[in-house]
Amino acid sequence: MSRTRDRSRRFDIVLWGATGFTGKLVAEYFVEHYLNTDLKLALAGRSLSKLEALRTELARLDPAARDLTLLVGDSFDKDSLSAIAKDTEVVCTTVGPYAKYGAELVAACVDHGTDYCDLTGETLFIREMIDLHHKRAQETGARIVHCCGFDSIPSDIGTWMMHRAMEEQGATLREVRFYAGESKGGLSGGTIASMLNLLEQAKKNPKVRKVMGHPYGLNPEGERSGPDGSDFMGVRYDRDLAMWVGPFIMAAINTRIVRRTNAILGFPYGRDFRYSEVMSFGRGPKGFAMASSFAAGMAGFVTAASIDVSRKFMQKRFLPKPGEGPSREAREKGYFVVRLVAEGQTQSGESIELRGRVEGRKDPGYGETAKMLGESALCLALDGAKLETPGGVRTPASTMGDVLLQRLRDADMVFQVR
């Protein structure tokens, strides 16, 4: 079922969690780039006083922000969430960890056929939302789109871009290798909190470990097998880039999202499609040393974060807390580069290799993530009628594909194939 998307609801977008650190950045993005259009935007959260303070702050960017509607609700209050969901085309949420605070909001959106996008990177939460709501969302037309930030837009939309480029060559995509390269920026306090919460759950619950460890754990039932194995955790020299590579911390969620896209679209990349993610560290002895140090540090962090005492110590002493983040100046100086190597095959059996690049010109975890989430919400709200994708618990590429790809390019992100 596909509900009528004619923008007749009271709001186009309700930004839930607007007063949090990342929520404020998304609010600023909307105000700076879209407030003087016909966008119907509302800000929502738990505290009216904080929302009023945010509105005053946003009015310094654009006086028209004084007229923004404020909505108050609670993550555990079904009635308040239902009232918000029924009045808007899209709910855009930054409130995590989503496993703690996100389930009731998803349920409300599903019930009202309301589109939804978030920043979660929590594999178990997504699996639970699929199991609980995918069928019902298909019935109501609600498009529930997880992972609309740094995880997993560069991966998912980047792979979609390579698929489209292969089609132009008359070929079918067979493999994509993703390399997270140069970057400047940090993980947000909310991202850290989500990661720690997931590791804590994994220690206590075998089901969590099973879902996290399964390379096809987010695929539909009956489609949870394929050629890919566990995510790469070592160090090796990569001949494609002529660089040393090591593990990429976000591969555990990104790879699952890309594989789910392929599955729920009916395998346009092929049933034998292979996908992997690593992080590149440069050439020569220096590159090897950096890759080795990072791999060891990542293993040490995961081990320490899985132990109650050391996890609490890290949280108290040096890890950023939810709501904390860098200054505007630091965010503006950030950037990231992703390289993609794609292999395809024509009907005549000819092999084709294409190379792609995804770049963001601001801090990946804040500035670019706010842009990616904001444009995802705008795509669902303003372009929703022409997307022609059904309801369900979906992925960015399977829902918004070409339309979101063009939006991100127009928003000064680089998505390039050569």
Side-chain angles (χ1 to χ4, degrees):
M1 171 181 166
S2 179
R3 71 168 173 83
T4 302
R5 288 178 166 83
D6 56 6
R7 298 180 63 194
S8 60
R9 294 189 178 186
R10 185 182 176 196
F11 306 110
D12 292 320
I13 298 172
V14 170
L15 176 59
W16 176 248
T19 60
F21 190 88
T22 304
K24 288 180 181 178
L25 299 183
V26 179
E28 288 177 4
Y29 184 80
F30 287 142
V31 167
E32 289 177 337
H33 297 277
Y34 291 95
L35 195 61
N36 288 318
T37 67
D38 63 347
L39 178 69
K40 297 178 291 183
L41 174 68
L43 308 177
R46 287 188 305 168
S47 168
L48 179 59
S49 61
K50 289 183 178 180
L51 287 167
E52 289 173 337
L54 172 62
R55 186 169 59 181
T56 299
E57 187 177 334
L58 293 173
R60 298 191 186 103
L61 299 175
D62 188 327
R66 295 191 185 96
D67 297 326
L68 286 172
T69 301
L70 307 180
L71 304 173
V72 177
D74 187 276
S75 296
F76 304 105
D77 182 349
K78 294 182 181 181
D79 291 341
S80 65
L81 297 178
S82 179
I84 288 170
K86 74 177 183 180
D87 275 349
T88 187
E89 298 290 330
V90 179
V91 171
C92 173
T93 173
T94 64
V95 180
Y98 291 87
K100 287 186 176 181
Y101 303 113
E104 294 295 347
L105 182 58
V106 171
C109 289
V110 170
D111 284 345
H112 291 287
T114 301
D115 289 345
Y116 163 105
C117 56
D118 69 22
L119 291 174
T120 189
E122 301 161 57
T123 313
L124 181 63
F125 172 72
I126 299 170
R127 182 71 257 171
E128 289 179 341
M129 296 303 98
I130 294 168
D131 294 341
L132 287 170
H133 300 299
H134 182 65
K135 184 176 180 180
R136 172 67 173 154
Q138 288 178 312
E139 295 171 353
T140 66
R143 297 181 287 208
I144 307 301
V145 190
H146 300 297
C147 301
C148 293
F150 188 54
D151 49 347
S152 303
I153 292 285
S155 307
D156 200 31
I157 298 296
T159 299
W160 178 260
M161 173 183 70
M162 304 311 290
H163 159 65
R164 285 303 211 188
M166 281 292 176
E167 285 189 326
E168 292 175 2
Q169 299 287 327
T172 299
L173 190 64
R174 296 301 185 202
E175 180 174 2
V176 171
R177 297 184 290 278
F178 171 111
Y179 301 87
E182 307 91 295
S183 66
K184 184 177 182 180
L187 293 174
S188 71
T191 299
I192 291 291
S194 294
M195 290 170 57
L196 295 178
N197 183 62
L198 193 58
L199 289 170
E200 184 177 4
Q201 291 181 64
K203 179 185 175 183
K204 298 175 180 178
N205 189 340
K207 177 185 176 183
V208 178
R209 294 195 295 272
K210 183 178 180 180
V211 171
M212 289 175 62
H214 197 312
Y216 295 88
L218 295 182
N219 276 24
E221 186 176 355
E223 304 291 356
R224 295 176 193 166
S225 63
D228 288 329
S230 301
D231 301 314
F232 181 71
M233 295 301 293
V235 175
R236 63 175 169 82
Y237 182 77
D238 188 90
R239 297 188 182 279
D240 285 325
L241 266 61
M243 293 184 186
W244 290 95
V245 300
F248 181 47
I249 195 168
M250 293 181 176
I253 180 61
N254 293 340
T255 56
R256 278 67 169 171
I257 290 295
V258 170
R259 292 170 195 142
R260 180 169 175 80
T261 290
N262 190 34
I264 63 179
L265 287 179
F267 298 95
Y269 313 156
R271 286 186 173 273
D272 294 327
F273 172 70
R274 302 184 69 96
Y275 182 79
S276 60
E277 293 194 354
V278 294
M279 191 168 186
S280 59
F281 290 91
R283 300 174 171 85
K286 182 179 179 181
F288 172 74
M290 291 174 64
S292 300
S293 297
F294 184 84
M298 181 172 159
F301 172 81
V302 171
T303 299
S306 301
I307 301 170
D308 291 343
V309 174
S310 55
R311 181 176 62 253
K312 291 176 181 177
F313 176 80
M314 291 191 297
Q315 287 176 298
K316 183 177 181 180
R317 290 299 181 92
F318 59 86
L319 291 178
K321 297 175 177 56
E324 294 181 354
S327 65
R328 176 182 285 268
E329 181 182 7
R331 296 194 304 271
E332 294 292 330
K333 290 181 178 179
Y335 63 89
F336 75 85
V337 175
V338 165
R339 297 175 178 87
L340 301 163
V341 178
E343 294 184 2
Q345 189 175 60
T346 65
Q347 288 186 345
S348 63
E350 179 188 359
S351 295
I352 293 179
E353 181 181 283
L354 296 175
R355 300 208 171 199
R357 192 176 180 96
V358 179
E359 292 184 38
R361 306 184 194 280
K362 296 181 181 180
D363 181 294
Y366 296 97
E368 291 303 310
T369 281
K371 179 188 296 181
M372 288 183 273
L373 180 62
E375 290 296 338
S376 295
L378 289 158
C379 189
L380 289 168
L382 306 184
D383 307 317
K386 70 179 182 182
L387 293 176
E388 297 182 353
T389 46
V393 181
R394 306 182 60 84
T395 61
S398 68
T399 309
M400 297 174 278
D402 295 334
V403 182
L404 180 57
L405 174 60
Q406 189 57 52
R407 272 192 166 274
L408 295 171
R409 284 171 169 162
D410 292 343
D412 199 34
M413 286 188 71
V414 173
F415 282 84
Q416 182 182 77
V417 180
R418 59 179 175 82

